[in-house]
């Protein structure tokens, strides 16, 4: 089972020495909810090329939602990597515009579909297999049972978000700014790009929230950890995404090393993850379907 | 004269479906009891869908059925059977969000497929991905601005459907699991608890940033009266009203207003926008604004310090029958009213008219002064003819 680990400008040098199967890097205008993205320019691409020459496999996170004016940036990305001849293992995408551009530029086989909530059953995987892409990332609210069912006859290798803060919500609206505009704060922009928390009236959880250039993002209160389930997941999943958003670099490096050890069957200090949870692995959400019959 | 777009209305049951079509919608979208979001609004079994389709087709109008959940593995049971049944009934299209449902529908049926706003399609390349795979129409994300829409329309290869009225998700649609996390109710399978409309406190490093005002993410509803002209000029194929859980009065008022506006604009008649704004207000149960029509939203599109919904009790009765000889109407009470009240009549194709209620009796002929009981059938005398499905309401007070 592959370990794909998110890396930013600050962490890439440390992480490239670890025995992971790939580093996922972001570009500020194309990636969302990623720590320390690179700028989309020739210098960054050349830097990544240098890193790649150390035998590091590179994945790129292009998970933005793109409006019409944003489309040229996707073209710029493909032109830059083609010009630099940057070898990429994978391109994680959410917006179908990336698929269209990738297809035009000959990168379909690198694509990993990562819409966060849309890949929820085996037929989704079959559909994407027909599109000749590399993999899909299963929806973040899949139970272990669902993962197994999807994996049973999957024609595509499957990828799973296995560690980190699961995103719950992305709005294009600048909800922090508009709130402080309403309360007539002196500077409604002062909390942009800062980690805040929201707490609902009757619930105890504090949910991280960030407003940035892409809008407002809210995350689950506790990060997901998958150490307990690696033996099970090994049978079903080809690659695990380990995400570093909100972690200090040193802590994230420890997490990555723990996954490397755990995958080798070594014991890790589980108490380090007492403040994590198991996401939706055992939490099936409510849906009641009625079988619809003619005449009734 | 400009081509008219389709006016597409919601309906949560057969009565609302008929009201929507009679009050001027060209098409109605409904949900079955399975595979549809807004599960609490879905009262259509297959025989209801068939009755609705027959009703619509006799009027030369259309019915679309939503199959817009993102199904988990066990939820796919019965999907092929259901889609084939819809095809037999001759629904005009299905509205899908999941690639699985789209794939199954296109493999096993010849149903026309529309892609739901749950896919959050915001640019022409994403639209063309689906167009190449046989999709006829897409429902655009509500985050698309008018400026973006102008460019997008020139390059998109599928018909475009745009929301013009109703509730708005604050998150990009289809991407939100607030409800899943906070209540175990799956937003992408019809269980959304509208967690985005609750009150919160906002913190930084453990310190509360909001003093007396709860932090809120709630959005005002979308209302696009001033933008219909631009949408006609752009050439959007369909204008969509949200609200399968809304009342018949809401549906009738909103549909009738946009119908009249579209017809006047298409005929190049000078339009009295304030008149339409006033008319649409009569159905409003939540403050409204223009959403993303003018670009990125600001404080004026958000709701703060207010109860999200402010139910109106102005709708008082539905007309069931009218006797031209006795000039009496049989009506069904929907909110309390009394003899002596001034009553406004809402009727498809006509401006509202007002009269004073002079007589009121039960269906058995007993004279009464007050009508307090919901769904009670009553007889009233009217100074002018009424028709079945006309609605009676209290005159609007600003």
């Amino acid at each position: 089972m592959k370990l794909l680990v998110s890396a930013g400008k600050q962490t890439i040098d440390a992480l490239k020495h670890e025995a992971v199967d790939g580093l996922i890097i972001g570009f500020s205008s194309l990636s969302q909810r990623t720590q320390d993205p690179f700028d989309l320019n020739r210098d960054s691409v050349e830097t990544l090329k240098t890193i790649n020459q150390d035998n590091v496999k590179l994945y790129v996170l292009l998970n933005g939602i793109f409006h019409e004016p944003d489309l040229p940036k996707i073209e710029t990305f493909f032109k830059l990597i083609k010009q630099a001849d940057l070898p990429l293992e994978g391109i994680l995408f959410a917006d179908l515009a990336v698929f269209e551009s990738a297809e035009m530029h000959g990168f379909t086989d690198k694509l990993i579909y990562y819409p966060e909530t849309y890949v929820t059953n085996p037929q989704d995987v079959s559909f994407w297999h027909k599109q000749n892409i590399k993999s899909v990332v299963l929806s973040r609210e899949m139970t272990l049972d669902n993962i197994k069912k999807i994996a049973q006859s999957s024609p595509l290798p499957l990828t799973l978000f296995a560690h980190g803060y699961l995103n719950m919500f992305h709005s294009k609206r600048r909800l922090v700014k508009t709130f402080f505009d309403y309360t007539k704060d002196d500077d409604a922009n002062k909390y942009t790009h800062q980690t805040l928390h929201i707490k609902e009236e009757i619930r105890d959880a504090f949910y991280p929230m960030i407003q940035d250039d892409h809008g407002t993002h809210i995350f689950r209160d506790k990060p997901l950890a998958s150490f307990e389930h690696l033996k099970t997941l090994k049978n079903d999943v080809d690659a695990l995404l380990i995400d570093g958003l909100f972690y200090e670099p040193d802590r994230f490096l420890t997490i990555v090393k723990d996954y490397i050890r755990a995958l080798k069957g070594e014991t890790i200090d589980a108490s380090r993850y007492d403040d994590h949870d198991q996401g939706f692995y055992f939490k099936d959400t409510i849906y009641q379907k009625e079988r619809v019959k003619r005449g009734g | 004269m400009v081509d008219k777009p389709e006016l597409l209305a919601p309906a949560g049951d057969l009565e609302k479906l008929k009201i929507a079509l009679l009050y001027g919608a060209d098409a109605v979208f409904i949900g079955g009891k399975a595979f549809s979001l807004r599960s609490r609004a879905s009262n259509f079994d297959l025989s209801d869908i068939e009755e609705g389709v027959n009703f619509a087709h006799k009027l030369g109008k259309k019915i679309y059925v939503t199959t817009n959940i993102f199904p988990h593995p066990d939820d796919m049971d019965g999907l092929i059977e259901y889609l084939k049944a819809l095809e037999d009934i001759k629904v005009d299209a299905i509205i899908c969000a999941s690639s699985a449902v789209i794939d199954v529908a296109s493999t096993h049926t010849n149903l026309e497929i529309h892609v739901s706003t749950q896919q959050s399609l915001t640019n022409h390349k994403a639209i063309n991905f689906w167009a190449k795979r046989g999709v006829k129409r897409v429902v655009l994300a509500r985050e698309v601005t008018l400026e973006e829409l102008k460019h997008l329309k020139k390059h998109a290869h599928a018909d475009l459907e745009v929301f013009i009225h109703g509730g708005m998700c604050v998150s990009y649609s289809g991407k939100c699991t607030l409800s899943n996390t906070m209540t175990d109710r799956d937003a992408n399978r019809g269980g959304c608890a509208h967690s985005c409309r609750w009150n919160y406190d906002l913190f930084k490093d453990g310190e509360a940033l909001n003093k007396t005002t709860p932090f809120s993410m709630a959005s005002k509803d979308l209302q696009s009266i001033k933008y219909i002209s631009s949408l006609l000029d752009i050439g959007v194929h369909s204008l969509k009203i949200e609200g399968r859980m809304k009342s018949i009065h809401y549906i009738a008022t909103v549909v009738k207003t946009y119908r009249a506006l579209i017809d006047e604009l298409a005929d190049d008649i000078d339009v009295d926008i304030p008149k339409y704004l006033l008319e649409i207000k009569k159905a409003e149960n939540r403050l409204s604004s223009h959403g993303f029509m003018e670009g990125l939203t600001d404080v004026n599109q958000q709701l703060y310090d207010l109860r999200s919904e402010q139910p109106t009790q102005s709708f008082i009765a539905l007309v069931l029958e009218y006797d031209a000889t006795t000039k009496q109407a049989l009506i069904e009470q929907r909110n309390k009213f009394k003899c002596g009240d001034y009553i406004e009549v809402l009727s498809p194709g006509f401006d509202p008219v007002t009269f004073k209620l002079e007589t009121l009796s039960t269906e058995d002929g007993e004279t009464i002064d007050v009508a307090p009981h919901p769904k009670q059938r009553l007889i009233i005398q009217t100074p002018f003819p009424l028709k079945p499905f006309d609605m009676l309401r209290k005159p609007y007070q600003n």
Side-chain angles (χ1 to χ4, degrees):
Chain A
M1 193 158 56
K2 298 189 188 76
L3 263 187
L4 306 180
V5 169
S6 69
K9 285 189 293 196
Q10 282 185 55
T11 55
I12 196 165
D13 283 334
L15 289 169
K16 73 184 183 189
H17 298 297
E18 299 301 322
V20 298
D21 299 285
L23 295 182
I24 305 171
I25 61 103
F27 289 100
S28 52
S29 53
L30 296 170
S31 316
Q32 297 190 4
R33 299 178 289 281
T34 186
Q35 228 161 7
D36 230 4
F38 288 78
D39 297 319
L40 183 64
N41 55 40
R42 205 165 281 150
D43 287 344
S44 296
V45 174
E46 289 300 324
T47 302
L48 292 170
K49 209 171 165 185
T50 309
I51 290 168
N52 172 255
Q53 281 159 3
D54 293 335
N55 211 26
V56 173
K57 292 193 175 154
L58 289 173
Y59 292 72
V60 174
L61 182 66
L62 296 192
N63 64 340
I65 297 175
F66 301 109
H67 289 242
E68 284 292 294
D70 303 318
L71 294 178
K73 294 177 207 167
I74 304 174
E75 289 302 302
T76 301
F77 166 77
F78 282 108
K79 283 178 185 153
L80 279 174
I81 60 168
K82 276 168 91 171
Q83 277 166 10
D85 199 22
L86 176 67
L88 286 182
E89 276 303 301
I91 301 169
L92 292 96
F93 77 103
D95 195 304
L96 300 174
V98 175
F99 180 96
E100 291 290 289
S101 292
E103 192 176 50
M104 201 167 70
H105 292 284
F107 284 90
T108 315
D109 62 336
K110 303 291 183 198
L111 290 177
I112 300 171
Y113 186 45
Y114 184 26
E116 299 197 35
T117 51
Y118 295 172
V119 183
T120 57
N121 67 70
Q123 283 78 7
D124 285 319
V125 182
S126 296
F127 173 81
W128 282 103
H129 177 240
K130 287 190 262 189
Q131 314 315 314
N132 297 311
I133 65 170
K134 187 183 180 99
S135 176
V136 293
V137 183
L138 296 179
S139 178
R140 60 175 99 110
E141 86 273 18
M142 291 289 97
T143 61
L144 285 176
D145 197 48
N146 282 335
I147 293 167
K148 187 160 281 307
K149 285 176 180 165
I150 295 171
Q152 253 162 17
S153 50
S154 176
L156 263 185
L158 299 177
T159 304
L160 184 72
F161 184 105
H163 195 102
Y165 284 87
L166 286 163
N167 177 245
M168 292 199 289
F169 169 102
H170 171 207
S171 174
K172 190 163 170 67
R173 303 174 192 230
R174 273 58 170 164
L175 295 171
V176 178
K177 179 187 183 306
T178 53
F179 176 72
F180 288 112
D181 280 333
Y182 178 73
T183 58
K184 297 194 181 359
D185 201 275
D186 289 337
D187 179 7
N189 286 311
K190 66 187 173 206
Y191 296 111
T192 302
H193 294 283
Q194 296 187 36
T195 303
L196 305 177
H197 288 82
I198 56 168
K199 179 189 171 304
E200 197 267 330
E201 273 178 324
I202 62 168
R203 289 168 169 78
D204 296 330
F206 285 79
Y207 302 103
M209 181 169 80
I210 292 181
Q211 180 195 296
D212 62 16
D213 299 332
H214 304 289
T216 310
H217 314 262
I218 303 173
F219 302 81
R220 279 175 64 89
D221 54 318
K222 290 186 181 170
L224 168 68
S226 299
F227 293 102
E228 282 179 61
H229 310 293
L230 292 178
K231 277 193 185 139
T232 310
L233 290 171
K234 248 182 180 171
N235 299 326
D236 301 327
V237 167
D238 179 68
L240 302 178
L241 300 182
I242 312 298
D243 189 74
L245 190 62
F246 298 124
Y247 289 109
E248 291 298 322
D250 287 345
R251 180 139 199 235
F252 187 56
L253 192 57
T254 303
I255 290 169
V256 172
K257 288 177 192 284
D258 277 346
Y259 273 99
I260 294 169
R261 280 200 281 274
L263 282 173
K264 287 183 192 167
E266 294 171 23
T267 307
I268 58 144
D269 179 3
S271 67
R272 275 203 274 268
Y273 302 99
D274 284 348
D275 56 349
H276 289 53
D277 74 9
Q278 301 193 65
F280 288 94
Y281 284 154
F282 298 103
K283 183 173 150 125
D284 203 0
T285 47
I286 298 164
Y287 168 67
Q288 289 174 334
K289 186 187 72 169
E290 200 173 298
R291 190 147 192 117
V292 183
K293 289 191 179 146
R294 265 203 174 272
Chain B
M1 190 166 151
V2 178
D3 280 344
K4 287 189 207 180
E6 170 190 273
L7 179 60
L8 175 59
D13 58 38
L14 264 176
E15 181 183 62
K16 290 173 188 174
L17 180 155
K18 291 175 183 174
I19 293 276
L21 293 173
L22 290 170
Y23 276 78
D26 300 301
V28 166
F29 66 100
I30 62 176
K33 289 185 172 176
F35 306 109
S36 171
L37 291 183
R38 299 282 187 276
S39 56
R40 284 174 295 149
S42 298
N43 290 327
F44 288 87
D45 59 26
L46 281 171
S47 60
D48 292 329
I49 296 174
E50 190 169 18
E51 185 178 336
V53 166
N54 291 338
F55 184 89
H57 287 178
K58 279 193 187 120
L59 296 173
K61 301 189 177 190
K62 295 183 177 182
I63 299 291
Y64 309 138
V65 177
T66 60
T67 53
N68 55 352
I69 63 166
F70 288 98
H72 290 196
D74 291 343
D75 303 329
M76 295 293 282
D77 293 345
L79 176 62
I80 296 173
E81 176 192 24
Y82 180 63
L83 293 176
K84 286 188 173 182
L86 292 180
E87 190 175 29
D88 287 344
I89 287 170
K90 296 186 176 33
V91 303
D92 296 283
I94 53 172
I95 305 173
C96 310
S98 161
S99 55
V101 177
I102 293 170
D103 200 31
V104 167
S106 55
T107 304
H108 295 277
T109 75
N110 290 312
L111 283 164
E112 182 173 301
I113 297 172
H114 299 179
V115 173
S116 165
T117 194
Q118 294 290 104
Q119 273 268 329
S120 274
L121 299 175
T122 51
N123 63 74
H124 75 269
K125 288 197 170 189
I127 292 166
N128 292 344
F129 172 93
W130 288 117
K132 286 184 213 172
R133 287 152 181 81
V135 161
K136 178 79 166 64
R137 183 194 292 191
V138 302
V139 187
L140 289 177
R142 277 164 274 209
E143 289 81 0
V144 172
T145 68
L146 267 183
E147 275 311 300
E148 290 169 1
L149 184 55
K150 285 177 194 165
H151 190 267
L152 196 158
K153 173 70 173 64
K154 288 184 193 150
H155 302 280
H157 300 151
D159 291 342
L160 302 180
E161 184 176 299
V162 173
F163 278 98
I164 56 170
H165 200 92
M168 298 186 76
C169 280
V170 181
S171 174
Y172 276 104
S173 291
K175 305 279 187 183
C176 182
T177 50
L178 284 181
S179 175
N180 302 43
T181 297
M182 296 185 190
T183 69
D184 290 356
R185 282 167 51 179
D186 192 342
N188 273 344
R189 292 188 294 164
C192 183
H194 302 281
S195 310
C196 60
R197 296 194 180 276
W198 297 346
N199 285 332
Y200 295 84
D201 288 314
L202 182 64
F203 292 85
K204 179 165 170 60
D205 299 328
E207 183 195 331
L209 298 181
N210 57 308
K211 307 289 181 240
T212 53
T213 306
F215 177 76
S216 167
M217 298 183 272
S219 170
K220 288 180 182 171
D221 278 7
L222 173 64
Q223 183 263 86
S224 306
I225 292 288
K226 290 183 193 169
Y227 304 93
I228 299 300
S229 176
S230 299
L231 290 168
L232 261 64
D233 289 341
I234 291 170
V236 165
H237 191 83
S238 177
L239 303 178
K240 184 170 197 165
I241 298 164
E242 181 276 337
R244 278 190 286 153
M245 294 177 70
K246 294 291 204 294
S247 70
I248 56 171
H249 174 241
Y250 175 96
I251 290 170
T253 305
V254 173
V255 168
K256 181 173 181 293
T257 306
Y258 282 106
R259 171 81 276 145
L261 178 57
I262 291 166
D263 289 346
E264 283 199 345
L265 286 169
D267 288 342
D268 259 334
I269 295 170
D270 274 342
V271 170
D272 180 1
I273 290 291
K275 178 185 96 171
Y276 286 102
L277 289 171
L278 179 61
E279 203 44 42
I280 210 94
K281 256 186 138 28
K282 294 175 185 178
E284 202 170 85
N285 64 346
R286 190 186 283 144
L287 293 179
S288 63
S289 186
H290 53 254
F292 284 83
M293 289 285 172
E294 293 190 2
L296 188 59
T297 54
D298 60 30
V299 63
N300 297 307
Q301 282 75 55
Q302 301 299 123
L303 279 173
Y304 297 108
D305 274 334
L306 285 171
R307 231 186 87 85
S308 199
E309 301 242 349
Q310 294 153 2
T312 173
Q313 294 182 320
S314 64
F315 172 44
I316 55 174
L318 180 68
V319 176
L320 301 177
E321 293 168 15
Y322 179 76
D323 186 328
T325 310
T326 60
K327 296 186 183 168
Q328 286 180 337
L330 175 66
I331 65 174
E332 186 178 86
Q333 193 264 35
R334 296 299 173 100
N335 271 296
K336 187 176 172 183
F337 65 96
K338 60 187 188 307
C339 222
D341 280 347
Y342 281 90
I343 292 176
E344 185 177 89
V345 178
L346 180 69
S347 183
F350 294 96
D351 284 340
V353 285
T354 305
F355 70 97
K356 187 175 176 187
L357 184 65
E358 304 285 6
T359 67
L360 180 62
S361 62
T362 65
E363 202 175 1
D364 299 326
E366 182 193 341
T367 302
I368 55 174
D369 291 324
V370 181
H373 304 296
K375 299 280 187 130
Q376 186 181 18
R377 291 158 67 102
L378 303 158
I379 307 279
I380 63 171
Q381 200 85 21
T382 64
F384 38 76
L386 301 181
K387 298 190 305 296
F389 295 109
D390 282 353
M391 292 184 195
L392 308 182
R393 61 189 182 190
K394 291 177 186 168
Y396 179 74
Q397 278 162 9
N398 227 328

